[in-house]
Amino acid sequence: MARTKIAVIGGGQIGGNLALYAAQRELGDVVIYDVPAKEGTVAGKALDIAEQLPVDGCDAALRGTSRIEDIAGAAVVIVTAGVARTPGMTREDLLAINLKIIASVAEGVAAHAPGAFCIIVTNPLDAMVHAFQKLTGFPHARVCGMAGVLDTARFRAFIAMELGVSVRDVSALVLGGHGPTMVPISRLASVGGVPVAELIPADRLRAIEERTREAGTEIVKLYGSGSAYYSPAMSAIAMAESCIRDQKRVLPAAAYCRGEYGIDGLYAGVPAVIGAGGVERILQFALAAEEEAALAATVRAVRQSVREVEQRGLGA
Ligand code: APR
């Protein structure tokens, strides 16, 4: 039986790690697509990873290409094409540059992998997901954005560091857009079933929420050039795996809302059930008043960046 095919669009820092993690988890065969100027680089990454796999004991075929038709038959497409944020640049600054890139990628994916489940990673995330779905015309269930898994992973990591406990036992959720307006739901965070609010003083918890909101920027500052790549890659892989293996994991993702949480006709970060059908369902719960207000603010920010995309004619 042929293995599942995974297409990674943009073989930069995140793309290379996506290919590595996908191969190490034996999710399928991987094609890394990039622009012609990067063909040697992505062919090199594919070969380098292929040569690691005997040591890992994992089977996967990898190739790097600048021919978009090589993504044909991909069951999952992960889009990281774009420029990464540099210090001083906000996610919204990225919009104009990356929108044009997403427009060309959308055309290629629509032509060559029309049945794929598509996970967008390129920032500014919420705007890029919107543009990609509009440009491809794919069903909303098959287009989503990777943000919430990463934001939640950061939140969980900081809680685990604070308490000196295993990250495995920290359960948490971050809602909303991918940016400073995201909404970490501390009220529901727990460690081994114990509410975090009972273990961490309120002021410390507020500081952890703030660090979560600024976590991407913290990495950008430390790197000096480029943005986070290990954690975004692993987060997108969790989503891809849940689809490929029909795990139906509940993963926060930028999913298309039709009234959930009062959000209508917009991609926003919500808890999504991801399975073979893509985003199969959105889980809902009652928000506290201040959470609702914070979510309304993040939705306003997402709507603003979607407006900007529309004003730029979707980049096409
Ligand atoms: N088609 C395919 N690949 C492209 C295109 C295109 N039209 N335009 C650019 N790329 C490629 C670049 O050549 C580069 O190899 O996308 C890759 C981006 O890689 P990096 O610059 O290393 O960026 P990375 O850190 O991987 O982040 C990618 O994800 O998290 C977001 O903000 C981040 O938008 C950025 C994206």
Side-chain angles (χ1 to χ4, degrees):
M1 204 176 79
R3 280 197 289 251
T4 300
K5 183 164 168 182
I6 299 149
V8 172
I9 311 289
Q13 297 280 34
I14 299 178
N17 283 293
L18 280 170
L20 173 64
Y21 297 151
Q24 285 180 317
R25 292 188 171 214
E26 295 188 315
L27 293 187
D29 293 339
V30 182
V31 172
I32 314 172
Y33 166 81
D34 210 304
V35 294
K38 293 288 179 67
E39 185 162 32
T41 308
V42 291
K45 285 189 187 192
L47 187 59
D48 196 359
I49 294 168
E51 290 167 358
Q52 168 183 325
L53 295 183
V55 185
D56 269 334
C58 298
D59 284 306
L62 294 105
R63 68 185 286 207
T65 183
S66 63
R67 287 162 25 105
I68 190 67
E69 51 272 33
D70 290 341
I71 71 166
V76 174
V77 169
I78 309 178
V79 178
T80 74
V83 302
R85 201 152 55 112
T86 49
M89 200 195 243
T90 66
R91 284 193 180 81
E92 311 313 345
D93 289 337
L94 279 179
L95 191 139
I97 305 169
N98 284 351
L99 184 57
K100 284 204 174 342
I101 295 174
I102 285 294
S104 84
V105 167
E107 193 183 333
V109 175
H112 299 287
F117 174 53
C118 302
I119 303 167
I120 313 303
V121 180
T122 305
N123 277 318
L125 197 269
D126 305 283
M128 295 302 121
V129 181
H130 172 86
F132 185 91
Q133 189 282 324
K134 283 269 183 196
L135 289 162
T136 56
F138 287 177
H140 290 104
R142 284 205 285 104
V143 178
C144 67
M146 190 295 295
V149 177
L150 173 59
D151 297 329
T152 299
R154 288 169 166 163
F155 190 31
R156 290 170 62 201
F158 300 147
I159 290 170
M161 288 175 201
E162 179 77 12
L163 292 172
V165 299
S166 168
V167 290
R168 283 191 200 89
D169 296 320
V170 181
S171 177
L173 174 64
V174 176
L175 296 177
H178 186 50
T181 59
M182 70 179 76
V183 189
I185 309 288
S186 291
R187 179 175 62 91
L188 299 181
S190 61
V191 177
V194 180
V196 159
E198 309 237 352
L199 305 174
I200 301 178
D203 59 329
R204 284 298 307 156
L205 204 44
R206 293 292 89 80
I208 289 171
E209 289 172 9
E210 189 50 30
R211 188 174 180 193
T212 303
R213 281 190 284 267
E214 292 297 324
T217 305
E218 185 178 2
I219 301 272
V220 167
K221 281 189 188 139
L222 288 168
Y223 279 161
S225 78
S227 49
Y229 44 95
Y230 296 116
S231 51
M234 188 52 86
S235 301
I237 284 294
M239 296 167 71
E241 182 172 25
S242 194
C243 171
I244 291 166
R245 304 208 155 117
D246 194 23
Q247 290 171 329
K248 303 200 190 296
R249 292 195 60 195
V250 179
L251 297 170
Y256 191 74
C257 296
R258 293 181 176 85
E260 291 90 351
Y261 300 98
I263 307 167
D264 201 15
L266 191 73
Y267 275 96
V270 289
V273 178
I274 297 181
V279 173
E280 296 181 347
R281 212 150 41 101
I282 292 171
L283 299 190
Q284 287 192 81
F285 63 95
L287 295 170
E290 76 270 17
E291 293 162 354
E292 213 165 298
L295 193 63
T298 194
V299 166
R300 277 197 297 277
V302 174
R303 281 203 195 281
Q304 176 54 39
S305 81
V306 163
R307 256 196 301 277
E308 210 170 312
V309 164
E310 298 284 350
Q311 278 158 6
R312 290 174 186 275
L314 293 170

